[in-house]
Amino acid sequence: MALTAIPVGFVAGLFGIGGGLITVPFLYFIFGSLEIDPQYVMHLAVGTSFAIIIPTSTVSVLTHHKFKAVDFDIVKNYGLFVVIGVIVGTVFAASLKTKSLVLFFSIMILFLGIYLLLIKEKEQNIIVKMKLHLKVILGFLVGFISAPMGIGGAVMNVPILKFFGYSINKAIGSASAIGFLIALFGAIGFLLSGSFLNSSLPLSIGFINIPAFLIFIPITTFMARIGAKTVHSIDKNKISNFFGIFLLVVSIKFFYEYLKL
């Protein structure tokens, strides 16, 4: 578990994703091997992932901010609707079975990975103001989709912000900040829903596993700082391509797991 935290933290800082895309799969396999109630394995992985993302994304945001790569205006104005989506999505996720969550996760990641491989970084980025109705719709959808997946939403927010003219670096930095909000409310939601359902999982509060949280945190926060610094020295087009390939690999792996369930 400690070795898993190293790539989680680094990729979290590198891509601004909070680490959920790696954390959820690994925690899913770890909890499954410990013979935890199969009905709640994915829920526990998702809830614990959100708890881990909170401090990890905090370190990532602070590091990106040093490079002036965080737009706090979009975080505030757009993030509100993301949070509303997270709250609704958490209730939705609690009602799903593990198999449905796994399929939902793999399909969403597949489409986002293809999108990032197809788009190219522009020579000059002109930021187009996101209108209110788009903030409401996109923000709610990102939050709603992120909740069942246990992610900070950057896999969607980075492409969205790039579409509105943000450079890949600024899109990643701003998505990290929005990811903090998603993780905070997602963790609270899974903690409460797990308690409400009386899941009674070992060494856990609701759907948050305490040992996993304590093992991951010191390592992921340290590696997130390194990853966030690294991204600002890499060619922008390569970052988008690496991100896209990474998502495709995760999607294929999870779809394979879905077929085995």
Side-chain angles (χ1 to χ4, degrees), residues 16-253:
I17 61 175
L21 285 171
I22 305 178
T23 310
V24 171
F26 274 104
L27 290 178
Y28 174 79
F29 296 128
I30 291 169
F31 293 149
S33 67
L34 295 175
E35 298 184 353
I36 287 175
D37 186 351
Q39 182 181 359
Y40 294 127
V41 170
M42 190 64 172
H43 299 75
L44 187 61
V46 170
T48 305
S49 173
F50 274 136
I52 293 169
I53 289 172
I54 294 172
T56 304
S57 61
T58 300
V59 171
S60 179
V61 171
L62 292 174
T63 306
H64 283 296
H65 182 51
K66 289 180 180 178
F67 290 90
K68 298 181 180 180
V70 181
D71 183 347
F72 285 105
D73 285 333
I74 195 69
V75 173
K76 290 184 292 183
N77 300 330
Y78 171 68
L80 169 64
F81 304 108
V82 174
V83 167
I84 294 172
V86 171
I87 294 171
V88 176
T90 300
V91 176
F92 170 71
S95 67
L96 290 177
K97 293 183 179 180
T98 286
K99 187 171 183 177
S100 300
L101 274 178
V102 171
L103 180 62
F104 182 83
F105 189 98
S106 59
I107 291 174
M108 290 306 306
I109 296 304
L110 174 64
F111 284 113
L112 292 166
I114 292 172
Y115 174 78
L116 278 177
L117 285 172
L118 294 177
I119 61 172
K120 297 295 181 184
E121 187 71 14
K122 299 174 183 177
E123 290 296 325
Q124 184 177 3
N125 296 96
I126 301 174
I127 297 177
V128 179
K129 186 176 180 181
M130 193 185 302
K131 295 182 179 180
L132 180 60
H133 71 281
L134 290 177
K135 289 178 182 177
V136 174
I137 295 171
L138 295 175
F140 180 84
L141 287 176
V142 167
F144 183 81
I145 292 170
S146 296
M149 296 169 69
I151 62 174
V155 292
M156 291 165 280
N157 282 325
V158 170
I160 287 172
L161 293 176
K162 276 186 62 62
F163 179 81
F164 284 96
Y166 285 77
S167 68
I168 186 65
N169 300 65
K170 201 154 192 175
I172 287 174
S174 302
S176 296
I178 297 170
F180 169 81
L181 298 175
I182 292 175
L184 178 62
F185 285 88
I188 293 171
F190 273 86
L191 186 151
L192 294 176
S193 61
S195 301
F196 177 77
L197 293 171
N198 295 317
S199 54
S200 300
L201 299 171
L203 302 174
S204 303
I205 301 175
F207 287 130
I208 298 177
N209 184 267
I210 304 305
F213 174 79
L214 295 176
I215 291 171
F216 267 76
I217 289 310
I219 302 172
T220 54
T221 51
F222 175 76
M223 294 304 299
R225 186 178 293 107
I226 297 175
K229 289 180 179 178
T230 302
V231 74
H232 294 282
S233 62
I234 301 177
D235 177 76
K236 294 179 180 180
N237 277 317
K238 288 184 178 179
I239 298 172
S240 292
N241 290 335
F242 289 154
F243 201 173
I245 293 170
F246 165 69
L247 295 184
L248 292 183
V249 171
V250 173
S251 172
I252 292 169
K253 177 61 179 174

